[in-house]
Amino acid sequence: MSEEPTFERFLAAVRGTNPFRSHRITDVGGGEATVESIHKNAFTKLVRVVQDAAKEPVSIGALLIGAPGVGKSHLLARLFQWAGEDKATVVYLHNILASPERMLRYVLNATVSDLAGHRGSDYTQSRLYTVLNRALIRTGALKGRKMMTGPREIDARKEALARLGAKIDPQSAVIPVLNAFLTGTSHASLGDAGAEKRAQAAVLWLSGETLGPDEARLLDQAAGEDGLALADDAAVERVLHVLAHLCALAELPLVLCLDQIDNLDAEAVRALMSYAHALLDRAKHLVVIVSGVKQSMLSLRTGEVIPAAAWDRIAERILELHMVSPEEARAILEGRLDAALSGFEEKEIEELMAARKRDRLFPLGSAWLERRLDGVQELRPRDAILWARDRWEAQQDRLAAVGGKRWLKEWPGPEDGPKPPPVKLEDVIDAEVKKKLVEGTTRRRLQQASLPPDEDNLASLTHHLLARCAGKGASTLLSVEHATAKKRGKTAPTHHLVAKEKRADGVVVTTGVTFLCAPSGHGARLPLQRMVEDTKHTDKRILVTDEERRPLRLGGAGKAAYDALCKLGRQRFLHLHLDFAGHAELDSLVGLLGAARSHDLEIEHPRGQYRKVTEAEVLASFERQSLLLAHPLLRELLTEEIVKGGGDSTPPPAWDPQQTREHIMAELSWRLGLMAKELAQIFASRKKLHEKRFPEVWSHIKKTAQALHDEGHVHATATDDDLFVQLRGKK
């Protein structure tokens, strides 16, 4: 049972959470408080771009630039929230990494995954299903029929989509598959398991995956020897064009947000921008927003990483964000305080109401902010939030030292608290790196559709990290090569990666790594047979599969090949079963390096001064903390040890999981939101658990909150190594 909000509960909230801990957007769909007046003109222009593309058969490129911390991702989050009010279909793509020749296919994969979601059993809740039905309604294609899910109505929708498709897909290449998704999802909602498989097959094909004969038959198509898939980039583009046109007909124009593209290396940026240029030139009713740090983006342009023609098309509309005024900084802090304290003010906690009446910035303090802003003409929103974070922590320290009644009576207390002891630069960097890695991994875990299972993405992430270790430090890795289409022509490679390692005895060992995310046994057959036939070029072969989302499926020929590989023994063949966390961790490691490269990773050192962390410093931190060696796949290629992958060996907690779920929901029932750490503190206090068990409790609360997020009961946002948790629908 939840306790009623009281002054003591308010004090516990001040001790246990910090509303200013997060100073960057990690989830554009989150419910973090925003101030509409900040960057109002830029937001208005961005909305106008989307509305223009909806009305006219044109596609528009928009470039969003500014200094680090000036609010670019916050602006995109506001656009996402605006779009959710029945205005547009915004797909947020971050850290898009694939080999250059497969970049467009990965953009399609991530886009369809985002629109369809990663839960195949509930496509009726997907944005793709909504768009198709709305297009039929808004265009009048159903000729007055009501949107019901009976067999007749489903057939009517099928016929209506086919008629509509004749205009926007005259080659009838995409609409039949979208119809299979629409009708399959509708029939699945009536309990037809076979129809659900048809909808799943449609999503796989639309994502650019290769289907085997069984999946192809579900779409009334035949699979050749290599399976059924989009043949080339033109076919990939066609799917995106049709989706964009349907979104426009549904009056929900498609917007692709490519955020922080300057985090990518030069080859990836060049490929991504070239494809974006082509899409804008040939699609209709599409908006592509490219976002990055101004200095980094201009360097990419002057260095001709982004060609002039692509830049002109992508930057058709330029929106540059600037620093904010002191008055706007105050509004940002007031907005966060209003959101954080609303639950207590609604319950009219007398002490809080009186304090907030005296000073709207309680418990930060207006006098404190005036001192910080003395002589400041403009600043970054991130700076104001970081100041507030430190000020809140100082009030937490004061509260802990003197107790609640004295803290409130003497508030704001002494102007300056005791100076914290000096901390080594390396320790500060290591702590920030570790927090951001946890945050990145958790963010992907909460938004699994944003990181679809993809062989090339896994290979690119792994190569990106290993290439920085070859020939350095204590690593046994000498070199690593990523097979590309240019080198292999039309023939698929035997392995995605080929690594050379030097053992302690001086012997050079060549290892081939194959990533396999095939949705069918047919898709696994040829890669496994190629691995078996590779008897001359490698000493060791590693197969990496996505065990959580795409476990290895084997037909007769595939099983024979897999058995032949297993007979080689563990020293010559290793099958690493990677779970989603393993994929997300690779993505987070690469993303952190990219943030440092684009000058968007900062630390506070010494206290009160902020400096950027370089890519070299991040790599050094990886080495000090053995973060790369902690990953089972990277460890296998950086040492000669054999490591089993996947699996969580943590024993289950001794308490009832249902009680934990009820605890979280009850605490959130009267609060805007809570950090998981605060939820854990309340839980541990009620259970009278020893403080040594707190890490276990915190971990359990986070896992339970993630499960509630997956089920749609709460919205969780990754913040450093913690989660901010809100009830769905609350703002």
Side-chain angles (χ1 to χ4, degrees):
M1 292 291 293
S2 171
E3 300 174 10
E4 276 297 307
T6 63
F7 178 59
E8 290 303 320
R9 294 298 306 280
F10 163 69
L11 295 177
V14 174
R15 294 187 190 99
T17 193
N18 188 335
F20 302 98
R21 188 175 176 187
S22 173
H23 56 81
R24 65 177 69 230
I25 287 289
T26 60
D27 174 13
V28 293
E32 189 170 290
T34 59
V35 180
E36 292 185 4
S37 61
I38 306 300
H39 301 314
K40 183 177 181 179
N41 290 338
F43 181 70
T44 300
K45 290 179 181 177
L46 202 53
V47 167
R48 191 175 298 128
V49 167
V50 178
Q51 292 171 335
D52 288 348
K55 296 173 184 175
E56 302 294 333
V58 296
S59 290
I60 304 174
L63 179 64
L64 179 62
I65 55 175
V70 81
K72 297 181 296 297
S73 294
H74 279 79
L75 194 71
L76 293 179
R78 286 177 61 188
L79 180 70
F80 191 94
Q81 292 164 9
W82 168 84
E85 299 170 1
D86 226 18
K87 303 288 178 51
T89 305
V90 177
V91 176
Y92 179 78
L93 302 176
H94 172 69
N95 204 27
I96 295 293
L97 188 61
S99 55
E101 63 278 358
R102 290 187 62 85
M103 185 67 77
L104 181 61
R105 196 171 290 258
Y106 185 66
V107 168
L108 175 67
N109 192 355
T111 299
V112 172
S113 178
D114 185 277
L115 294 176
H118 70 282
R119 301 182 192 91
S121 60
D122 199 17
Y123 286 137
T124 56
Q125 303 301 311
S126 71
R127 292 197 286 168
L128 180 58
Y129 188 69
T130 298
V131 162
L132 293 176
N133 284 308
R134 285 229 347 186
L136 298 179
I137 294 172
R138 297 302 169 93
T139 59
L142 279 178
K143 297 181 178 179
R145 283 183 177 269
K146 294 182 179 180
M147 290 302 296
M148 300 176 67
T149 56
R152 289 185 179 179
E153 286 77 18
I154 294 173
D155 287 342
R157 274 188 280 175
K158 180 179 180 180
E159 294 170 5
L161 184 55
R163 289 194 301 270
L164 192 61
K167 301 176 182 178
I168 63 176
D169 182 27
Q171 296 175 320
S172 195
V174 182
I175 288 295
V177 180
L178 284 169
N179 233 331
F181 170 80
L182 178 65
T183 58
T185 300
S186 300
H187 282 295
S189 68
L190 302 178
D192 185 341
E196 183 179 308
K197 291 180 179 179
R198 185 164 70 253
Q200 290 172 344
V203 170
L204 290 171
W205 185 89
L206 291 165
S207 302
E209 300 275 15
T210 300
L211 305 186
D214 293 341
E215 291 85 1
R217 277 193 291 272
L218 292 171
L219 304 180
D220 297 322
Q221 299 191 46
E225 183 179 347
D226 294 332
L228 176 69
L230 297 171
D232 49 28
D233 285 345
V236 171
E237 277 192 28
R238 193 177 299 117
V239 175
L240 287 168
H241 294 173
V242 171
L243 289 174
H245 207 141
L246 284 168
C247 286
L249 293 175
E251 299 177 10
L252 295 169
L254 180 61
V255 183
L256 299 182
C257 290
L258 308 179
D259 194 17
Q260 299 177 3
I261 68 127
D262 46 334
N263 285 9
L264 305 176
D265 58 28
E267 270 197 4
V269 171
R270 185 179 292 110
L272 186 56
M273 292 300 94
S274 295
Y275 283 126
H277 180 196
L279 279 173
L280 287 168
D281 275 353
R282 293 192 277 266
K284 297 178 181 179
H285 304 293
L286 173 68
V287 176
V288 176
I289 301 172
V290 174
S291 173
V293 174
K294 179 180 179 180
Q295 178 185 348
S296 301
M297 294 300 296
L298 293 179
S299 295
L300 292 169
R301 170 66 192 95
T302 56
E304 297 186 349
V305 173
I306 302 178
W311 178 274
D312 292 342
R313 194 65 176 91
I314 293 159
E316 182 179 348
R317 311 275 181 93
I318 298 179
L319 299 92
E320 181 175 355
L321 300 190
H322 301 282
M323 292 193 283
V324 299
S325 67
E327 293 75 20
E328 289 173 318
R330 180 186 177 102
I332 291 171
L333 302 189
E334 284 185 355
R336 288 223 182 175
L337 283 173
D338 290 345
L341 302 177
S342 63
F344 294 100
E345 291 187 315
E346 287 173 3
K347 296 296 182 178
E348 298 185 354
I349 305 300
E350 182 179 342
E351 296 89 342
L352 174 61
M353 299 286 286
R356 290 271 282 170
K357 187 175 182 180
R358 282 199 319 272
D359 190 332
R360 196 64 189 166
L361 280 181
F362 174 84
L364 303 178
S366 296
W368 158 81
L369 183 60
E370 289 172 6
R371 290 193 299 272
R372 291 305 309 247
L373 291 172
D374 185 29
V376 175
Q377 300 299 315
E378 58 181 10
L379 68 159
R380 302 179 307 168
R382 182 181 296 176
D383 293 329
I385 294 170
L386 288 170
W387 293 348
R389 179 202 64 187
D390 294 344
R391 175 65 173 174
W392 189 282
E393 288 179 358
Q395 291 298 325
Q396 287 177 322
D397 293 341
R398 174 72 178 164
L399 175 59
V402 303
K405 291 184 179 179
R406 182 178 167 187
W407 169 72
L408 185 62
K409 182 180 179 181
E410 297 179 355
W411 184 85
E415 188 169 314
D416 296 310
K419 290 186 178 181
V423 184
K424 289 173 58 179
L425 175 61
E426 289 183 351
D427 292 342
V428 177
I429 292 174
D430 288 351
E432 185 69 10
V433 164
K434 194 65 178 292
K435 284 192 300 184
K436 291 305 175 189
L437 285 178
V438 173
E439 179 184 282
T441 303
T442 304
R443 181 182 67 244
R444 291 297 199 185
R445 165 68 181 80
L446 295 170
Q447 307 159 36
Q448 283 197 36
S450 70
L451 189 66
D454 187 277
E455 296 159 5
D456 190 68
N457 176 251
L458 277 167
S460 298
L461 291 169
T462 305
H463 178 261
H464 193 93
L465 294 166
L466 292 177
R468 284 157 172 73
C469 302
K472 298 177 183 177
S475 166
T476 60
L477 184 67
L478 297 175
S479 66
V480 59
E481 179 184 356
H482 186 185
T484 66
K486 292 178 182 178
K487 294 179 181 177
R488 67 177 184 258
K490 295 183 179 179
T491 304
T494 301
H495 304 288
H496 291 97
L497 303 178
V498 177
K500 292 187 180 297
E501 297 177 80
K502 188 175 183 179
R503 293 192 321 213
D505 59 5
V507 174
V508 175
V509 177
T510 301
T511 303
V513 186
T514 297
F515 296 86
L516 194 51
C517 297
S520 68
H522 180 87
R525 175 176 60 86
L526 290 176
L528 291 173
Q529 288 178 343
R530 286 193 293 267
M531 290 183 73
V532 171
E533 293 164 2
D534 179 32
T535 58
K536 298 180 180 179
H537 303 100
T538 58
D539 304 296
K540 183 194 302 184
R541 282 153 273 188
I542 298 177
L543 174 66
V544 184
T545 56
D546 185 329
E547 194 65 18
E548 187 172 330
R549 297 178 294 174
R550 293 277 178 83
L552 183 61
R553 294 175 61 184
L554 298 172
K559 186 176 186 308
Y562 183 76
D563 290 343
L565 288 168
C566 291
K567 289 178 181 177
L568 296 174
R570 287 182 59 80
Q571 296 304 315
R572 296 178 61 196
F573 172 70
L574 177 64
H575 182 183
L576 276 175
H577 304 269
L578 205 63
D579 57 12
F580 178 77
H583 189 171
E585 188 177 343
L586 292 173
D587 176 82
S588 185
L589 287 163
V590 171
L592 193 54
L593 288 171
R597 188 185 313 115
S598 62
H599 313 292
D600 200 22
L601 181 64
E602 296 178 337
I603 58 167
E604 184 182 10
H605 188 272
R607 189 76 169 178
Q609 296 181 26
Y610 299 96
R611 69 180 292 272
K612 301 185 188 307
V613 183
T614 67
E615 190 175 4
E617 287 175 325
V618 172
L619 281 168
S621 179
F622 286 175
E623 185 172 356
R624 283 194 300 273
Q625 301 187 77
S626 299
L627 294 175
L628 299 183
L629 292 177
H631 192 282
L633 173 58
L634 299 178
R635 184 179 183 87
E636 178 59 34
L637 293 166
L638 293 171
T639 69
E640 272 299 283
E641 297 179 31
I642 295 178
V643 181
K644 296 180 180 179
D648 183 0
S649 59
T650 305
W655 45 84
D656 181 5
Q658 183 59 31
Q659 285 184 1
T660 312
R661 296 167 68 92
E662 292 172 356
H663 162 72
I664 292 173
M665 297 301 290
E667 290 300 317
L668 294 176
S669 65
W670 56 276
R671 295 281 290 276
L672 177 103
L674 288 168
M675 300 301 293
K677 191 170 189 177
E678 184 182 358
L679 286 164
Q681 289 168 336
I682 298 169
F683 187 85
S685 174
R686 290 194 182 139
K687 293 289 184 182
K688 296 182 172 54
L689 299 174
H690 193 278
E691 61 182 15
K692 289 183 178 180
R693 295 197 66 188
F694 183 76
E696 178 188 353
V697 177
W698 189 17
S699 175
H700 176 61
I701 290 288
K702 285 192 284 188
K703 287 182 179 179
T704 306
Q706 288 172 357
L708 289 169
H709 172 96
D710 289 343
E711 295 164 14
H713 300 303
V714 306
H715 187 94
T717 304
T719 303
D720 289 338
D721 55 352
D722 205 357
L723 294 175
F724 180 65
V725 191
Q726 300 168 283
L727 280 182
R728 287 281 184 184
K730 292 196 75 173
K731 298 291 182 184

